[in-house]
Amino acid sequence: MISRRRAVLALNALVLAAGLTGIATAAGAQTAKPITMRIAHALPETHGYSLWLADFKKELDTLAQGRVDVQVFPNAQLGKETEYLEGMKLGAIDGAVMGRHGQIDPRLDVLNLPMIYRDEAHVSAVLHRDGPVREKVDAIMLEKGFKVLGWGELGFRNITTKTGPVAKASDLKGIVIRVPNVEPWLAAFRAWGANPTPMDFSELYSALQQGVVTAQENPPELIYTSKFYEVQKFLSLTQHANIPSQFVVSKAYWDKLPDDLKPIVLKAARASQDRQVAATRAANAKLVADLEKAGMTVVRNVDKESFRAGAEVSWKAFEAKYGGDLIKAIQDTK
């Protein structure tokens, strides 16, 4: 009888100990310090980049149950886009939303080639769904030390000018226009007769205001949120290119994430990517009318085909340097 009682007491003690251990483990998991993810971008808080990252943060909070503390630093608080790549390598920031893939590897300038995309559906087929092009460009990024969480969109780009409209490519002759420091673009704008001048986006408004450059090109959302309508008169809907943006973290940061957390981060990133693309396209469609209301003269009747010959100059230069495989892969994507 005594031995049986002792056995029961021992069993109860084991059950109690196991329960306490489980409670302690659960409490420990709940109170564990979240992993910080510091993400920078250079655009205003009103821009879609901020909305994209806010959506990602909300999605990840739900899926990861608070295990990751996403901290967003907009409006170039942590430096210019040109400084983010080095910042990630040094661990000063963990990731960024930007459009610097061509600086990460010049082969990725294929995504920037003028006139390379047929329409929005083609862009999505190339970059927003799994396929051979996305697989290849993601692999190149990882090889260079950056893990792609998502490919976003700024939208098709249009030219704004101070002195006159651009209804055809030859209207660009002699115009000093700011463009990103993307070699295929420099080649194309030179072929169109312009004087392309690279500079960081954060310096663009003051450069337009002071007349350092008299024209620029960007999607409607950037033109509106950056208030370029205050210093530019004409908006010409050239839709000559579509530079994708990317949400990346450093490979070093990615490698340190717990393995069970990585698919959760990717799931949240893909969901927020898809919503960012849809929201950006809707915003750009509306903002053309808003820019018109703000005083810009919108030139809708643009001879887009007149830009093709100059665009193909940049294609040939790119193909000679890096090969035509990716160009063909993009063109073949349905």
Side-chain angles (χ1 to χ4, degrees), residues 53 127 139 188:
L53 290 171
L127 283 174

mmCIF file of all heavy atoms in Angstrom, residues 53 127 139 188:
data_model
loop_
_atom_site.group_PDB
_atom_site.id
_atom_site.type_symbol
_atom_site.label_atom_id
_atom_site.label_comp_id
_atom_site.label_asym_id
_atom_site.label_seq_id
_atom_site.Cartn_x
_atom_site.Cartn_y
_atom_site.Cartn_z
ATOM 1 N N LEU A 53 6.009 48.838 -46.544
ATOM 2 C CA LEU A 53 6.688 48.322 -45.359
ATOM 3 C C LEU A 53 5.762 48.259 -44.149
ATOM 4 O O LEU A 53 5.902 47.358 -43.303
ATOM 5 C CB LEU A 53 7.922 49.174 -45.061
ATOM 6 C CG LEU A 53 9.047 49.006 -46.093
ATOM 7 C CD1 LEU A 53 10.146 50.026 -45.875
ATOM 8 C CD2 LEU A 53 9.618 47.588 -46.043
ATOM 9 N N LEU A 127 8.539 39.533 -62.979
ATOM 10 C CA LEU A 127 9.121 39.765 -61.654
ATOM 11 C C LEU A 127 8.230 39.454 -60.460
ATOM 12 O O LEU A 127 8.743 39.227 -59.365
ATOM 13 C CB LEU A 127 9.565 41.229 -61.540
ATOM 14 C CG LEU A 127 10.869 41.593 -62.242
ATOM 15 C CD1 LEU A 127 11.103 43.093 -62.156
ATOM 16 C CD2 LEU A 127 12.041 40.843 -61.629
ATOM 17 N N ALA A 139 18.970 34.978 -57.798
ATOM 18 C CA ALA A 139 20.227 34.257 -57.576
ATOM 19 C C ALA A 139 21.424 35.193 -57.711
ATOM 20 O O ALA A 139 22.397 35.102 -56.939
ATOM 21 C CB ALA A 139 20.347 33.097 -58.552
ATOM 22 N N ALA A 188 20.450 55.476 -73.918
ATOM 23 C CA ALA A 188 19.184 55.743 -74.597
ATOM 24 C C ALA A 188 18.891 57.237 -74.683
ATOM 25 O O ALA A 188 18.519 57.747 -75.750
ATOM 26 C CB ALA A 188 18.050 55.021 -73.878
#
